[in-house]
Amino acid sequence: MIATKTVASFIGGRFQEAPREKVDEIPNPATGEAVASLPYSSKDQLNQAVAAAKKAFPGWSETPVPDRAQVMFRFKALFDKHIEELSALVTTENGKTLEESRGEVKRAIEVIDFACGAPTLMMGHNLDQIAKGIDEELVRFPVGVVAGITPFNFPNMVPLWMIPVAIVLGNTFVLKPSPLTPLSAMRIAELLVEAGLPDGVFNVVHGAKDAVDTLLTHPDVAGVSFVGSAQVAAYIYATAAANGKRVQALGGAKNHILVMDDADLELSAPHVISSAFGNAGQRCLAGSVAVGVGKIGDALVTELAREAREVKVGPGTDPKTYMGPVIRRERKQRLIEYIDEAEQQGAKLVTDGRQGAPSEGFFLRPTIFDRVTPAMRIWKDELFGPVLSVMRASDIDEALKLLNASSYGNMASIFTTSGKNAREFKRRAQAGMLGVNIGVAAPMAFFPFTGWKNSFFGDLHATGQDSVRFYTRHKVVTTRWL
Ligand code: NAD
């Protein structure tokens, strides 16, 4: 493993130190202590990374697909072998519990599994005798150099939503991971080298907006995959498209969970708690609004509060911990400001996450508000932390109206024992990923990650067949033999 004291850039198969013009300290969120320093890549290094990817493209894209898939098989074996170490690294830089980190790495491995099927995924199709004496075929080709820009909350999995599929289909790649969690990306680079990936096919650069802008406007970047907050996603979509690139930009979320009064509360509530407070609420699929529908409201609040009080908050390395810290002190402060404001606006504070959390590191306890209204910012905004709003609706129509009024449309769930309610929900909820008695309705890698509204900007989503289409372009060949 490379020394993670100073995080390097990875360009053309070599780890390079960046000039120390702009350096971030990377703390362990559970302790606040620095674990590494991150010098941002220079403009020259950003250009070198794109140049290395461009140079590697002809050789890599001409490599037979089954041979490219072999690299993925070896990469997958390495991920399996190092799962504990990769998970520990996620916990160190992100703070989530080791169990959550293992879940993240396993989800990343699913994408590698998917990419191993490239010879099948990349097949085109044909039609013999489409006209008299004429045949037609569709053939897929890689698009070129792809840039990936990723968030802090899944430092291993989200880069791997992109990298295996993009490269196995013959593209070359420049990753700009979150400057808050850059360590996992470096380990991914090392394992790709060990798996036999040729130099320049995969590169990592570091930085923030300036680095992103360089990639978005670079003439040699053909496509951009982005995952992050909605405002930045909208900017990435507009800027990359204006610069002639194909782009998929996955944004933030405000996910509603409907709990119907026909639901079994004892079975349902733990899923609502784990959706709201797993990963300290820092998941784009976190349930951040629970809607009690019909008579269940009071009982729901009582049960959620009881369970939230039992949540063990602490470092992710402690096997007894249920919820780790949030990512940075400033994010914790911003969450506290939201809680203060909601209280002033009359939401009913049921559990107060500002109290009783460990004092070192960036911890909060679970916060639950009841009687939240659509006028409040805690309902409108994505808070991205362990704060759950409870709302009430008299029936499923009112509940769906609330859900559909959100500017986001990533995920929504329903807890119910009624097939009729589940069907209504499935047909009318305006979100792209739906759960029926599932708290975190995360599609597996074989399906796309289908956010709607401000949760997604673009046409083709990450993972599944969408990603195959995003990372390839087609030719349709019409043939007549005279
Ligand atoms: P973020 O938007 O702050 O950062 C994401 C990436 O964009 C980082 O690499 C960052 O350096 C870069 N960036 C930040 N500001 C930028 C700017 N002004 N111009 C250009 N680039 C910029 O997101 P985050 O806080 O790291 O991650 C959390 C967010 O990601 C949440 O909103 C969460 O919902 C979202 N997310 C969405 C999904 C999804 O599938 N829809 C998955 C995971 C996370």
Side-chain angles (χ1 to χ4, degrees):
M1 199 173 163
I2 53 160
T4 48
K5 283 279 177 229
T6 300
V7 185
S9 303
F10 179 65
I11 299 167
R14 283 196 316 116
F15 289 97
Q16 290 186 8
E17 287 251 339
R20 302 187 69 84
E21 280 158 19
K22 166 91 175 90
V23 184
D24 285 353
E25 289 299 308
I26 307 299
N28 177 337
T31 62
E33 283 164 14
V35 290
S37 67
L38 177 75
Y40 284 14
S41 307
S42 64
K43 178 106 179 174
D44 187 41
Q45 286 177 315
L46 295 169
N47 288 327
Q48 281 177 37
V50 176
K54 186 183 178 190
K55 185 164 167 236
F57 181 72
W60 181 243
S61 58
E62 284 297 319
T63 302
V65 190
D67 294 350
R68 294 200 301 253
Q70 289 306 315
V71 176
M72 281 302 123
F73 279 109
R74 292 195 291 273
F75 186 49
K76 183 226 162 38
L78 288 167
F79 250 65
D80 283 340
K81 181 173 157 199
H82 293 289
I83 188 163
E84 281 305 309
E85 174 218 321
L86 290 162
S87 305
L89 192 56
V90 171
T91 294
T92 300
E93 65 177 335
N94 172 279
K96 65 181 72 174
T97 68
L98 272 175
E99 201 183 320
E100 288 167 340
S101 296
R102 286 187 197 106
E104 162 167 0
V105 177
K106 283 183 187 155
R107 281 290 174 129
I109 291 172
E110 277 170 17
V111 188
I112 313 176
D113 288 346
F114 177 70
C116 286
T120 310
L121 295 172
M122 215 175 165
M123 277 182 193
H125 46 263
N126 70 304
L127 187 60
D128 172 75
Q129 189 78 340
I130 195 167
K132 218 166 180 51
I134 294 180
D135 305 329
E136 214 156 70
E137 63 179 323
L138 179 145
V139 194
R140 293 180 199 278
F141 292 89
V143 297
V145 177
V146 177
I149 299 149
T150 53
F152 78 82
N153 64 328
F154 284 94
N156 186 298
M157 180 188 76
V158 170
L160 275 252
W161 278 354
M162 307 169 182
I163 300 161
V165 189
I167 64 181
V168 83
L169 298 176
N171 302 283
T172 56
F173 204 90
V174 179
L175 174 69
K176 206 287 305 162
S178 167
L180 306 181
T181 53
L183 304 183
S184 293
M186 303 321 291
R187 192 66 186 121
I188 291 168
E190 289 176 321
L191 294 179
L192 281 168
V193 170
E194 206 176 327
L197 192 73
D199 291 352
V201 175
F202 177 67
N203 307 272
V204 187
V205 292
H206 299 289
K209 183 178 182 339
D210 288 349
V212 172
D213 285 341
T214 300
L215 295 172
L216 296 181
T217 54
H218 199 297
D220 293 331
V221 171
V224 175
S225 294
F226 171 85
V227 178
S229 54
Q231 212 182 346
V232 180
Y235 168 76
I236 300 277
Y237 178 64
T239 312
N243 281 276
K245 299 165 196 339
R246 60 175 62 191
V247 48
Q248 51 178 192
L250 286 68
K254 191 79 187 177
N255 304 308
H256 290 56
I257 301 182
L258 275 46
V259 183
M260 307 303 297
D261 57 7
D262 57 51
D264 181 322
L265 196 50
E266 222 173 289
L267 292 180
S268 309
H271 293 287
V272 179
I273 289 286
S274 123
S275 182
F277 303 121
N279 284 21
Q282 300 172 122
R283 267 194 301 227
C284 67
L285 298 182
S288 49
V289 182
V291 185
V293 187
K295 299 182 294 295
I296 204 167
D298 288 345
L300 175 66
V301 172
T302 305
E303 182 57 20
L304 291 176
R306 189 187 67 71
E307 295 197 21
R309 287 192 190 100
E310 281 173 11
V311 164
K312 170 130 178 41
V313 174
T317 46
D318 179 347
K320 292 199 268 329
T321 295
Y322 184 93
M323 188 176 102
V326 298
I327 190 71
R328 288 289 184 273
R329 193 178 306 285
E330 308 81 69
R331 300 253 182 163
K332 172 178 167 178
Q333 192 48 41
R334 201 175 70 193
L335 288 160
I336 290 173
E337 285 161 17
Y338 268 109
I339 297 169
D340 293 345
E341 182 187 296
E343 215 181 359
Q344 283 154 20
Q345 290 180 342
K348 189 171 162 223
L349 189 60
V350 180
T351 62
D352 185 351
R354 295 167 298 190
Q355 313 293 334
S359 54
E360 61 172 14
F362 317 135
F363 290 98
L364 284 166
R365 284 198 54 78
T367 295
I368 298 178
F369 277 108
D370 190 13
R371 305 281 174 192
V372 171
T373 70
M376 296 175 185
R377 272 205 316 149
I378 49 162
W379 177 76
K380 289 184 193 142
D381 294 0
E382 179 185 49
L383 272 54
F384 219 57
V387 181
L388 175 66
S389 298
V390 181
M391 302 174 90
R392 314 290 184 103
S394 55
D395 56 22
I396 192 164
D397 292 334
E398 199 184 320
L400 283 166
K401 208 166 151 197
L402 257 178
L403 184 170
N404 290 340
S406 173
S407 61
Y408 295 100
N410 218 32
M411 185 204 83
S413 287
I414 188 168
F415 283 85
T416 184
T417 51
S418 151
K420 180 171 185 290
N421 284 336
R423 183 170 187 274
E424 281 296 299
F425 171 79
K426 208 160 74 179
R427 301 196 70 243
R428 290 167 55 195
Q430 288 177 15
M433 289 171 276
L434 299 183
V436 177
N437 298 317
I438 300 278
V440 180
M444 287 183 72
F446 315 96
F447 284 90
F449 211 84
T450 44
W452 283 17
K453 295 159 97 177
N454 285 344
S455 301
F456 181 71
F457 299 84
D459 305 287
L460 294 165
H461 296 84
T463 72
Q465 290 293 346
D466 268 24
S467 65
V468 176
R469 289 191 59 204
F470 184 76
Y471 294 125
T472 53
R473 52 186 169 175
H474 306 160
K475 281 182 187 171
V476 175
V477 186
T478 307
T479 306
R480 169 164 53 203
W481 292 102
L482 297 172

